[in-house]
Amino acid sequence: CMNYMLPLSYAWGNFSVLAVGIWAIVQRDSLDAITMFLTGLLLTVLTDIIHISIFYPSHGYLSDAKRFSVGMAIFSLLLKPVSCYLVYRMYRERGGE
């Protein structure tokens, strides 16, 4: 997000899901918060794939800062299925079906 290679929608999507995640952790009895967090995580997996595939720079324009930025975006994308699984387990613990 700090290199401005990806558009602002990438940052807004991920930071808004982070805010909903904080809300879901703070409100331990709310099933709606954890459902919104899980849905947001699943949607950002899809949008992250689209953002990275569309805005990936060509090889000639790939500086070290951009390479690091793309690497962190891909690393975040790879960790999201693990986060989805853990959030789903929290959803089941809170009484979700």
Side-chain angles (χ1 to χ4, degrees):
C1 289
M2 295 179 68
N3 195 12
Y4 301 112
M5 185 199 72
L6 295 171
L8 284 176
S9 59
Y10 175 81
W12 276 102
N14 284 311
F15 289 139
S16 61
V17 168
L18 178 66
V20 172
I22 291 170
W23 173 49
I25 290 172
V26 170
Q27 297 244 335
R28 293 210 175 261
D29 56 344
S30 176
L31 193 60
D32 292 336
I34 200 75
T35 304
M36 286 179 62
F37 184 44
L38 183 59
T39 304
L41 272 175
L42 292 172
L43 284 175
T44 56
V45 167
L46 178 65
T47 59
D48 286 358
I49 292 170
I50 293 170
H51 280 119
I52 292 170
S53 63
I54 290 176
F55 294 101
Y56 191 82
S58 64
H59 185 67
Y61 297 105
L62 201 59
S63 65
D64 289 338
K66 287 183 180 180
R67 186 177 296 125
F68 179 76
S69 178
V70 169
M72 288 295 108
I74 292 171
F75 184 65
S76 171
L77 179 62
L78 290 175
L79 286 179
K80 279 188 183 178
V82 175
S83 299
C84 288
Y85 173 72
L86 295 174
V87 170
Y88 180 72
R89 286 189 54 203
M90 276 183 12
Y91 172 76
R92 297 288 289 168
E93 290 172 2
R94 291 185 186 186
E97 297 177 1

